[in-house]
């Protein structure tokens, strides 16, 4: 995969939140850079946008984790369900 292709794949994976595809694309991007490919302004811009979207994903995920913890505490104030509650169904 070329540097341009890997950069585009990383950007798309970040846009849709596919972390497995993002990891593969970033590995391909690193390999392309290590092989001597030079980043073009477009590749650099795609990398910058990927990083900004990734920072946003991290922020959003942190907020969702906080909301889930609030729901857990509202449901189970001790933080854990009582031993007689079967969550597996």
């Amino acid at each position: 995969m070329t540097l341009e292709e890997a950069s585009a794949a990383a950007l798309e994976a970040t846009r849709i939140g596919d972390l497995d595809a993002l990891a593969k694309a970033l590995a391909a991007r690193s390999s392309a850079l290590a092989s001597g490919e030079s980043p073009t302004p477009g590749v650099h811009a795609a990398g910058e946008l990927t990083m900004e979207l990734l920072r946003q994903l991290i922020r959003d995920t942190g907020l969702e984790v906080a909301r889930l913890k609030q729901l857990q505490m509202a449901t189970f104030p001790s933080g854990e369900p009582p031993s007689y509650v079967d969550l597996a169904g």
Side-chain angles (χ1 to χ4, degrees):
M1 188 180 294
T2 67
L3 181 55
E4 188 171 324
E5 291 168 337
S7 297
L11 181 56
E12 181 59 24
T14 307
R15 280 188 173 135
I16 64 173
D18 186 341
L19 299 182
D20 290 332
L22 176 59
K24 290 175 186 173
L26 291 177
R29 194 172 189 274
S30 292
S31 293
L33 286 168
S35 74
E37 283 193 61
S38 297
T40 64
V43 165
H44 182 72
E48 291 294 319
L49 184 52
T50 297
M51 291 307 299
E52 180 55 37
L53 291 173
L54 189 54
R55 283 190 286 272
Q56 183 63 48
L57 182 61
I58 291 167
R59 283 190 297 270
D60 292 348
T61 302
L63 291 173
E64 291 300 313
V65 167
R67 288 179 62 202
L68 288 169
K69 286 182 180 181
Q70 287 175 340
L71 290 170
Q72 180 183 27
M73 291 305 293
T75 306
F76 305 111
S78 70
E80 294 293 325
S83 59
Y84 58 84
V85 174
D86 180 11
L87 296 178

